[in-house]
Each structure stands twice: as C-alpha cells, then as structure tokens.
Amino acid sequence: MDERDIGFRAWFYFRNGWSIYFAFIFAAINTLTVTFYLAIERMPFLQTIFPTFLHYILIVGGIGVPLLILIGFVHWKRSSARKAEIDIGYETDPYKARTLVNTEILLKINLQLTSLLIKFTNNMKLNEEELKQIKTLQDELTDFLEKRTLSNKLDLKYIKTETEEKSSND
C-alpha cells in the first residue's frame, strides 16, 4: 500500500461505514421517531393500533423487516435492476471488466490445452483442422491483447459480444 493512498483509503472506509451502517441505523430511528410523534400521536384512530412507541416499533419492525427482506431478495434475484447495476459496474470500472475478460480468455486457452494434453497423452497427432483452430485462437488473442487498453473499452465490447452470443444460443 502506498503511503499517499492512506487518506483516500480512510475516506473510502469512512463513507462505507457511514452510509451502510451509521446512516442506515439513524435513518431508521429517525423515521420511526418522527412518524410516531408527528403522525400517530396526532391521529386518534392510529393510537388504537399503536398505543405506545414500543408497540409501534414492534409492529412496524415485525412487518417492515420481513417486507424489506422480500424487497431486497426481489431486487437481487428477480429484477432487472441488479443486472443493470452489474452492467454499470463493468462499464465504469475497466479493472473489473479486464478481470472478467482475462478469466474468459484463460478458460478458452485451458480448454485448448487440455484437449492437446489428452491427444499427446494418447500419442495422437494433431490434424490440420486442429492446428488451424489453435493458430486462429492464438492470432485472435494476440490481436486482442495488443489492441486493448484500460481506456479504449475493448474489454467491455468483448464482454458484450460474449454475452450476446450466449444469450442468443439459449
């Protein structure tokens, strides 16, 4: 870790601690307090449902927590919102895109290598078509690796091409 990064790292951790934990807890306390003392105390028909602040917290918590868990589950597992967040993450973070692309490239190379290993283990020779496939893969990867940079978005284009191919084949 570079000494110059300490301030920025502390700022990053502070923002996460604040937004994820501190602000969340205090926003919940604030919302419960304000809604009870400004709304429920002034409306007699609501006072029959929530006679005290403790009753209000228990009822709202008993309904709200499971409801928010369900909403979070739908967001992560059942809606397009999460996919959009992931897509934006890859679009805005070239390092994340680079890592995914490198992994995909390594899988292609490893698949070719295991095929070669099986052939060589069985004392088999490669035919012209297999040699051509290996050379094509090598040329494609060399060309891609020479052209891509973190700023020219070729990694992102590669990801989009790969996902479009796979989704059209499904």
Side-chain angles (χ1 to χ4, degrees):
M1 177 173 70
D2 192 353
E3 292 292 323
R4 294 172 292 175
D5 292 342
I6 289 175
F8 290 113
R9 286 176 173 269
W11 177 242
F12 175 80
Y13 294 136
F14 170 78
R15 288 181 304 141
N16 277 282
W18 178 272
S19 65
I20 294 172
Y21 299 102
F22 189 78
F24 168 76
I25 291 166
F26 280 96
I29 292 168
N30 184 48
T31 300
L32 289 169
T33 305
V34 168
T35 54
F36 182 80
Y37 289 105
L38 290 181
I40 294 172
E41 268 194 346
R42 297 171 189 225
M43 297 183 182
F45 73 94
L46 288 176
Q47 283 184 331
T48 59
I49 301 169
F50 310 110
T52 67
F53 186 59
L54 181 62
H55 286 93
Y56 178 64
I57 290 172
L58 293 175
I59 292 170
V60 169
I63 295 169
V65 170
L67 181 64
L68 292 172
I69 290 170
L70 178 65
I71 290 169
F73 173 80
V74 169
H75 172 80
W76 279 83
K77 300 283 189 168
R78 301 280 189 251
S79 77
S80 298
R82 181 68 183 143
K83 183 191 177 310
E85 288 175 25
I86 297 297
D87 289 346
I88 291 168
Y90 281 112
E91 291 167 7
T92 58
D93 186 351
Y95 298 104
K96 188 183 287 188
R98 175 66 52 97
T99 300
L100 179 62
V101 170
N102 287 350
T103 303
E104 287 296 314
I105 289 171
L106 284 172
L107 286 172
K108 285 182 178 183
I109 292 169
N110 282 334
L111 186 59
Q112 282 286 349
L113 286 173
T114 55
S115 296
L116 289 172
L117 188 60
I118 290 169
K119 284 206 169 247
F120 290 142
T121 303
N122 291 323
N123 293 322
M124 299 170 71
K125 298 223 180 226
L126 296 175
N127 62 37
E128 285 299 317
E129 182 63 31
E130 291 167 327
L131 284 171
K132 186 178 175 183
Q133 286 176 347
I134 292 170
K135 181 68 177 142
T136 301
L137 177 62
Q138 186 180 30
D139 291 343
E140 286 173 4
L141 292 177
T142 301
D143 184 53
F144 180 71
L145 294 174
E146 286 175 356
K147 290 180 181 175
R148 78 178 182 165
T149 65
L150 288 172
S151 61
N152 70 6
K153 306 280 187 191
L154 280 181
D155 288 314
L156 189 59
K157 183 178 177 188
Y158 181 90
I159 292 169
K160 288 181 179 180
T161 303
E162 288 295 305
T163 56
E164 285 172 9
E165 278 183 22
K166 289 189 176 30
S167 61
S168 65
N169 291 337
D170 291 340

